[in-house]
Coordinates of all heavy atoms in Angstrom, one line a residue:
M1 N -8.5 12.8 -6.7 CA -9.6 13.8 -6.9 C -9.4 14.5 -8.2 O -8.3 14.9 -8.6 CB -9.7 14.8 -5.8 CG -9.9 14.2 -4.4 SD -11.6 13.8 -4.0 CE -12.4 15.4 -4.0
K2 N -10.5 14.7 -8.9 CA -10.4 15.4 -10.2 C -11.5 16.5 -10.2 O -12.5 16.4 -9.5 CB -10.6 14.5 -11.4 CG -9.4 13.5 -11.6 CD -9.5 12.8 -12.8 CE -8.3 11.9 -13.0 NZ -8.4 11.1 -14.2
Y3 N -11.4 17.5 -11.1 CA -12.3 18.6 -11.2 C -13.4 18.3 -12.2 O -13.1 17.9 -13.4 CB -11.6 19.9 -11.5 CG -12.5 21.0 -11.7 CD1 -13.1 21.7 -10.6 CD2 -12.8 21.5 -12.9 CE1 -13.9 22.7 -10.7 CE2 -13.6 22.6 -13.1 CZ -14.2 23.2 -12.0 OH -15.0 24.3 -12.1
C4 N -14.7 18.4 -11.9 CA -15.8 18.2 -12.8 C -16.2 19.6 -13.2 O -16.7 20.4 -12.4 CB -16.9 17.5 -12.2 SG -18.3 17.3 -13.3
P5 N -16.1 20.0 -14.5 CA -16.5 21.3 -15.0 C -18.0 21.5 -15.0 O -18.5 22.6 -15.0 CB -15.9 21.4 -16.4 CG -15.8 20.0 -16.8 CD -15.5 19.2 -15.6
Y6 N -18.8 20.4 -15.0 CA -20.3 20.5 -15.0 C -20.8 20.8 -13.6 O -21.7 21.5 -13.4 CB -20.9 19.3 -15.5 CG -20.4 18.9 -16.9 CD1 -19.6 17.8 -17.1 CD2 -20.7 19.8 -18.0 CE1 -19.1 17.5 -18.4 CE2 -20.2 19.5 -19.3 CZ -19.4 18.3 -19.5 OH -19.0 18.1 -20.7
C7 N -20.2 20.2 -12.6 CA -20.6 20.4 -11.2 C -19.8 21.5 -10.5 O -20.2 22.0 -9.4 CB -20.3 19.1 -10.4 SG -21.3 17.7 -10.9
N8 N -18.7 21.9 -11.1 CA -17.8 23.0 -10.6 C -17.3 22.6 -9.2 O -17.3 23.4 -8.3 CB -18.6 24.3 -10.5 CG -18.9 24.9 -11.9 OD1 -18.1 24.7 -12.8 ND2 -20.0 25.4 -12.0
Q9 N -16.9 21.4 -9.0 CA -16.3 20.9 -7.8 C -15.4 19.8 -8.0 O -15.4 19.1 -9.0 CB -17.4 20.6 -6.8 CG -18.3 19.5 -7.2 CD -19.4 19.3 -6.2 OE1 -19.3 19.6 -5.0 NE2 -20.6 18.8 -6.7
M10 N -14.5 19.5 -7.0 CA -13.7 18.4 -7.0 C -14.4 17.1 -6.6 O -15.2 17.1 -5.6 CB -12.5 18.6 -6.0 CG -11.6 19.8 -6.3 SD -10.8 19.6 -7.9 CE -9.5 18.4 -7.5
V11 N -14.3 16.0 -7.3 CA -15.0 14.8 -7.1 C -14.0 13.6 -7.2 O -13.0 13.7 -7.8 CB -16.1 14.6 -8.1 CG1 -17.2 15.6 -8.0 CG2 -15.6 14.5 -9.5
S12 N -14.4 12.5 -6.6 CA -13.6 11.3 -6.7 C -14.3 10.5 -7.8 O -15.4 10.0 -7.7 CB -13.7 10.6 -5.4 OG -12.9 9.4 -5.4
P13 N -13.6 10.3 -9.0 CA -14.3 9.7 -10.1 C -14.5 8.2 -9.9 O -13.8 7.5 -9.1 CB -13.2 9.8 -11.2 CG -12.0 10.2 -10.6 CD -12.3 10.8 -9.2
V14 N -15.6 7.7 -10.5 CA -16.0 6.3 -10.4 C -16.2 5.7 -11.8 O -16.4 6.4 -12.8 CB -17.2 6.1 -9.6 CG1 -17.0 6.6 -8.1 CG2 -18.4 6.9 -10.2
K15 N -16.2 4.4 -11.9 CA -16.5 3.7 -13.1 C -17.8 2.9 -12.8 O -17.9 2.2 -11.8 CB -15.5 2.6 -13.5 CG -14.2 3.2 -14.1 CD -13.3 2.1 -14.6 CE -12.1 2.6 -15.1 NZ -11.2 1.5 -15.6
R16 N -18.8 3.1 -13.5 CA -20.1 2.4 -13.3 C -20.4 1.5 -14.5 O -20.3 1.9 -15.7 CB -21.2 3.4 -13.3 CG -21.2 4.3 -12.0 CD -22.4 5.2 -12.0 NE -22.3 6.1 -10.8 CZ -22.8 7.3 -10.7 NH1 -23.5 7.7 -11.8 NH2 -22.7 8.0 -9.7
P17 N -20.7 0.2 -14.2 CA -21.0 -0.7 -15.3 C -22.4 -0.4 -15.9 O -23.3 0.2 -15.2 CB -21.0 -2.1 -14.6 CG -21.3 -1.8 -13.2 CD -20.7 -0.4 -12.9
S18 N -22.6 -0.7 -17.1 CA -23.9 -0.4 -17.8 C -24.8 -1.6 -17.5 O -24.6 -2.7 -18.0 CB -23.6 -0.3 -19.3 OG -24.9 -0.2 -20.0
C19 N -25.8 -1.4 -16.7 CA -26.7 -2.4 -16.3 C -27.5 -2.9 -17.5 O -27.8 -4.1 -17.6 CB -27.6 -1.9 -15.2 SG -26.8 -1.6 -13.6
F20 N -28.0 -2.0 -18.3 CA -28.8 -2.5 -19.5 C -28.0 -3.4 -20.4 O -28.4 -4.4 -20.8 CB -29.3 -1.2 -20.3 CG -30.0 -1.6 -21.5 CD1 -31.2 -2.2 -21.5 CD2 -29.3 -1.5 -22.8 CE1 -31.9 -2.5 -22.7 CE2 -29.9 -1.8 -23.9 CZ -31.2 -2.4 -23.9
L21 N -26.7 -2.9 -20.7 CA -25.9 -3.8 -21.5 C -25.6 -5.1 -20.9 O -25.6 -6.1 -21.6 CB -24.6 -3.0 -21.8 CG -23.6 -3.7 -22.8 CD1 -24.2 -3.8 -24.1 CD2 -22.3 -2.9 -22.8
F22 N -25.3 -5.1 -19.6 CA -25.0 -6.3 -18.9 C -26.2 -7.3 -19.0 O -26.0 -8.5 -19.3 CB -24.8 -6.0 -17.4 CG -24.3 -7.1 -16.6 CD1 -23.0 -7.6 -16.6 CD2 -25.2 -7.9 -15.8 CE1 -22.6 -8.6 -15.8 CE2 -24.8 -8.9 -15.0 CZ -23.5 -9.3 -15.0
I23 N -27.4 -6.9 -18.7 CA -28.6 -7.8 -18.8 C -28.9 -8.2 -20.2 O -29.1 -9.4 -20.5 CB -29.8 -7.1 -18.2 CG1 -29.6 -6.9 -16.7 CG2 -31.1 -7.9 -18.4 CD1 -30.6 -6.0 -16.0
F24 N -28.8 -7.3 -21.1 CA -29.1 -7.6 -22.5 C -28.1 -8.7 -23.1 O -28.6 -9.7 -23.7 CB -29.0 -6.3 -23.4 CG -29.2 -6.5 -24.9 CD1 -30.5 -6.8 -25.3 CD2 -28.2 -6.5 -25.7 CE1 -30.7 -7.0 -26.7 CE2 -28.4 -6.7 -27.1 CZ -29.6 -7.0 -27.6
L25 N -26.8 -8.5 -22.9 CA -25.9 -9.4 -23.4 C -25.9 -10.8 -22.7 O -25.7 -11.8 -23.2 CB -24.5 -8.8 -23.4 CG -24.2 -7.7 -24.3 CD1 -22.8 -7.1 -24.1 CD2 -24.4 -8.2 -25.8
S26 N -26.3 -10.7 -21.4 CA -26.4 -12.0 -20.6 C -27.6 -12.8 -21.2 O -27.5 -14.1 -21.3 CB -26.7 -11.7 -19.1 OG -25.6 -11.2 -18.5
V27 N -28.7 -12.2 -21.5 CA -29.8 -12.9 -22.1 C -29.5 -13.5 -23.5 O -29.8 -14.6 -23.8 CB -31.1 -12.0 -22.2 CG1 -32.2 -12.6 -23.0 CG2 -31.5 -11.7 -20.7
I28 N -28.8 -12.6 -24.3 CA -28.5 -13.0 -25.7 C -27.5 -14.1 -25.8 O -27.6 -15.1 -26.5 CB -28.1 -11.8 -26.5 CG1 -29.2 -10.7 -26.6 CG2 -27.6 -12.2 -27.9 CD1 -30.4 -11.2 -27.2
T29 N -26.4 -14.0 -25.0 CA -25.3 -15.0 -25.1 C -25.2 -16.0 -24.0 O -24.3 -16.8 -24.0 CB -24.0 -14.2 -25.2 OG1 -23.7 -13.5 -24.0 CG2 -23.9 -13.2 -26.3
G30 N -26.1 -15.9 -23.1 CA -26.1 -16.9 -22.0 C -24.9 -16.6 -21.0 O -24.5 -17.5 -20.3
G31 N -24.4 -15.4 -20.9 CA -23.4 -15.1 -20.0 C -21.9 -15.3 -20.5 O -21.0 -15.0 -19.8
S32 N -21.8 -15.8 -21.7 CA -20.4 -16.1 -22.2 C -19.6 -14.8 -22.6 O -18.4 -14.9 -22.8 CB -20.5 -17.0 -23.4 OG -21.2 -16.5 -24.4
W33 N -20.3 -13.7 -22.7 CA -19.7 -12.4 -23.1 C -18.9 -11.8 -21.9 O -18.2 -10.8 -22.1 CB -20.7 -11.5 -23.6 CG -21.7 -11.1 -22.5 CD1 -22.8 -11.7 -22.1 CD2 -21.5 -9.9 -21.7 NE1 -23.3 -11.1 -21.1 CE2 -22.6 -10.0 -20.8 CE3 -20.6 -8.9 -21.6 CZ2 -22.8 -9.0 -19.8 CZ3 -20.8 -7.9 -20.6 CH2 -21.9 -8.0 -19.8
I34 N -19.1 -12.2 -20.7 CA -18.6 -11.6 -19.5 C -17.1 -11.3 -19.5 O -16.6 -10.3 -19.0 CB -19.0 -12.3 -18.2 CG1 -18.7 -11.5 -16.9 CG2 -18.2 -13.6 -18.1 CD1 -19.7 -10.4 -16.8
F35 N -16.3 -12.2 -20.2 CA -14.9 -12.0 -20.2 C -14.5 -10.8 -21.1 O -13.6 -10.0 -20.8 CB -14.2 -13.3 -20.8 CG -14.4 -14.5 -19.9 CD1 -15.3 -15.5 -20.3 CD2 -13.9 -14.5 -18.6 CE1 -15.5 -16.6 -19.5 CE2 -14.1 -15.6 -17.8 CZ -14.9 -16.6 -18.2
I36 N -15.2 -10.7 -22.2 CA -15.0 -9.5 -23.1 C -15.4 -8.2 -22.4 O -14.7 -7.2 -22.5 CB -15.8 -9.7 -24.5 CG1 -15.2 -10.9 -25.2 CG2 -15.7 -8.5 -25.3 CD1 -16.0 -11.4 -26.4
Y37 N -16.5 -8.2 -21.7 CA -16.9 -7.0 -21.0 C -16.0 -6.6 -19.9 O -15.7 -5.5 -19.7 CB -18.3 -7.2 -20.4 CG -18.9 -5.9 -19.8 CD1 -19.4 -4.9 -20.7 CD2 -18.9 -5.7 -18.5 CE1 -19.9 -3.7 -20.1 CE2 -19.4 -4.5 -17.9 CZ -19.9 -3.5 -18.8 OH -20.3 -2.4 -18.3
A38 N -15.4 -7.6 -19.2 CA -14.4 -7.3 -18.2 C -13.2 -6.6 -18.8 O -12.7 -5.7 -18.2 CB -14.0 -8.6 -17.5
I39 N -12.7 -7.1 -19.9 CA -11.6 -6.4 -20.6 C -11.9 -5.0 -20.9 O -11.2 -4.1 -20.7 CB -11.1 -7.2 -21.8 CG1 -10.5 -8.6 -21.4 CG2 -10.1 -6.4 -22.7 CD1 -10.3 -9.5 -22.5
Y40 N -13.1 -4.8 -21.5 CA -13.6 -3.5 -21.9 C -13.7 -2.6 -20.6 O -13.2 -1.4 -20.6 CB -15.0 -3.5 -22.6 CG -15.7 -2.2 -22.6 CD1 -15.3 -1.2 -23.5 CD2 -16.8 -2.0 -21.7 CE1 -16.0 0.0 -23.5 CE2 -17.5 -0.8 -21.7 CZ -17.1 0.2 -22.6 OH -17.7 1.4 -22.6
Y41 N -14.2 -3.1 -19.6 CA -14.5 -2.3 -18.3 C -13.1 -1.8 -17.8 O -13.0 -0.7 -17.4 CB -15.3 -3.1 -17.3 CG -15.5 -2.4 -16.0 CD1 -16.6 -1.5 -16.0 CD2 -14.7 -2.6 -14.9 CE1 -16.8 -0.8 -14.8 CE2 -15.0 -1.9 -13.7 CZ -16.1 -1.1 -13.7 OH -16.3 -0.4 -12.5
F42 N -12.2 -2.7 -17.6 CA -10.9 -2.3 -17.0 C -9.9 -1.6 -17.9 O -9.1 -0.8 -17.4 CB -10.2 -3.6 -16.4 CG -11.0 -4.1 -15.2 CD1 -11.6 -5.3 -15.3 CD2 -11.0 -3.4 -14.0 CE1 -12.3 -5.8 -14.2 CE2 -11.7 -3.9 -12.9 CZ -12.4 -5.1 -13.0
L43 N -10.0 -1.8 -19.2 CA -9.1 -1.1 -20.1 C -9.6 0.1 -20.8 O -8.8 1.1 -21.0 CB -8.6 -2.1 -21.1 CG -7.8 -3.3 -20.6 CD1 -7.3 -4.2 -21.8 CD2 -6.5 -2.8 -19.8
F44 N -10.9 0.2 -21.1 CA -11.4 1.2 -22.0 C -12.5 2.1 -21.4 O -12.7 3.2 -21.9 CB -11.9 0.6 -23.3 CG -10.9 -0.1 -24.1 CD1 -10.9 -1.5 -24.1 CD2 -9.8 0.5 -24.7 CE1 -10.0 -2.2 -24.8 CE2 -8.9 -0.2 -25.4 CZ -8.9 -1.5 -25.5
K45 N -13.1 1.7 -20.4 CA -14.2 2.4 -19.8 C -13.7 3.7 -19.0 O -12.8 3.6 -18.3 CB -15.0 1.6 -18.8 CG -16.2 2.3 -18.3 CD -17.5 1.5 -18.5 CE -18.7 2.1 -17.8 NZ -19.5 2.8 -18.8
K46 N -14.2 4.9 -19.3 CA -13.7 6.1 -18.7 C -14.4 6.3 -17.4 O -15.5 5.9 -17.1 CB -14.1 7.3 -19.6 CG -13.4 7.3 -21.0 CD -13.8 8.5 -21.8 CE -12.8 9.5 -21.6 NZ -13.1 10.7 -22.5
E47 N -13.6 7.0 -16.5 CA -14.1 7.3 -15.2 C -15.1 8.5 -15.4 O -15.0 9.3 -16.3 CB -13.0 7.8 -14.3 CG -12.1 6.6 -13.9 CD -11.0 7.1 -13.0 OE1 -10.5 8.3 -13.1 OE2 -10.5 6.3 -12.2
Q48 N -16.1 8.5 -14.5 CA -17.1 9.6 -14.6 C -17.4 10.2 -13.3 O -17.1 9.6 -12.2 CB -18.4 9.1 -15.3 CG -19.1 7.9 -14.5 CD -20.2 7.3 -15.3 OE1 -20.2 7.4 -16.5 NE2 -21.1 6.8 -14.6
C49 N -18.0 11.3 -13.3 CA -18.4 12.1 -12.1 C -19.5 11.3 -11.4 O -20.5 10.9 -12.0 CB -18.9 13.5 -12.4 SG -19.5 14.4 -11.0
P50 N -19.4 11.1 -10.0 CA -20.4 10.4 -9.3 C -21.7 11.2 -9.1 O -22.8 10.6 -8.9 CB -19.8 10.0 -8.0 CG -18.8 11.1 -7.8 CD -18.3 11.4 -9.2
I51 N -21.6 12.5 -9.3 CA -22.8 13.3 -9.1 C -23.6 13.5 -10.4 O -24.8 13.2 -10.5 CB -22.4 14.7 -8.6 CG1 -21.7 14.5 -7.3 CG2 -23.6 15.7 -8.5 CD1 -21.0 15.8 -6.8
C52 N -23.0 14.0 -11.5 CA -23.7 14.2 -12.7 C -23.5 13.2 -13.9 O -24.2 13.2 -14.8 CB -23.3 15.6 -13.2 SG -21.6 15.8 -13.9
G53 N -22.4 12.4 -13.7 CA -22.2 11.4 -14.7 C -21.3 11.9 -15.9 O -21.1 11.2 -16.9
G54 N -20.8 13.1 -15.7 CA -19.9 13.7 -16.8 C -18.6 13.0 -16.9 O -18.0 12.5 -15.9
K55 N -18.1 12.9 -18.1 CA -16.9 12.1 -18.4 C -15.7 13.0 -18.7 O -14.6 12.6 -18.9 CB -17.1 11.1 -19.5 CG -18.1 10.1 -19.2 CD -18.3 9.1 -20.3 CE -19.3 8.1 -19.9 NZ -19.7 7.2 -21.0
D56 N -15.9 14.3 -18.7 CA -14.9 15.3 -19.0 C -14.2 15.8 -17.7 O -14.3 17.0 -17.3 CB -15.5 16.5 -19.8 CG -14.4 17.5 -20.3 OD1 -13.3 17.0 -20.5 OD2 -14.7 18.6 -20.4
L57 N -13.5 14.9 -17.0 CA -12.9 15.2 -15.7 C -11.5 15.7 -16.0 O -10.8 15.2 -16.8 CB -12.9 14.1 -14.8 CG -14.3 13.5 -14.4 CD1 -14.2 12.3 -13.6 CD2 -15.1 14.5 -13.7
R58 N -11.1 16.7 -15.2 CA -9.7 17.3 -15.4 C -8.9 17.3 -14.1 O -9.5 17.4 -13.0 CB -9.9 18.7 -15.8 CG -10.7 18.9 -17.1 CD -10.9 20.3 -17.5 NE -11.7 20.3 -18.6 CZ -12.6 21.3 -18.9 NH1 -12.7 22.3 -18.0 NH2 -13.3 21.3 -20.0
K59 N -7.6 17.2 -14.2 CA -6.7 17.3 -13.1 C -6.7 18.7 -12.7 O -6.7 19.6 -13.6 CB -5.4 16.7 -13.4 CG -5.3 15.2 -13.6 CD -3.9 14.8 -13.9 CE -3.9 13.3 -14.1 NZ -2.6 12.8 -14.4
R60 N -6.6 19.0 -11.4 CA -6.5 20.4 -11.0 C -5.5 20.6 -10.0 O -5.1 19.9 -9.2 CB -7.8 20.9 -10.5 CG -7.9 22.4 -10.5 CD -9.3 22.8 -10.4 NE -9.5 24.0 -11.2 CZ -10.3 24.9 -10.9 NH1 -11.1 24.8 -9.9 NH2 -10.5 25.9 -11.7

């Protein structure tokens, strides 16, 4: 659990994939980009608040 300063409460952070980016790149490259996106999602994508979508989560 982490603290969200925007919601002022403790939340369980989640990672949400970008649906627009997923569909756009699938149409453009025929789905061959999925391996690169998987690496980005697991290594670089930040966790966010499930309520407001804020990415500035803090340990408390």
Side-chain angles (χ1 to χ4, degrees):
M1 300 278 297
K2 293 188 178 180
Y3 178 75
C4 178
Y6 304 112
C7 297
N8 294 321
Q9 60 185 334
M10 297 297 285
V11 295
S12 182
V14 296
K15 286 186 181 181
R16 293 184 183 153
S18 173
C19 294
F20 173 75
L21 183 63
F22 186 82
I23 292 169
F24 177 73
L25 290 175
S26 292
V27 169
I28 299 298
T29 65
S32 62
W33 67 275
I34 192 73
F35 300 110
I36 296 169
Y37 186 78
I39 292 169
Y40 162 75
Y41 180 81
F42 289 111
L43 296 179
F44 301 108
K45 185 124 173 105
K46 294 179 100 178
E47 293 179 328
Q48 60 188 25
C49 174
I51 299 169
C52 70
K55 294 180 182 174
D56 186 28
L57 301 176
R58 301 177 184 147
K59 292 182 181 178
R60 198 164 219 210

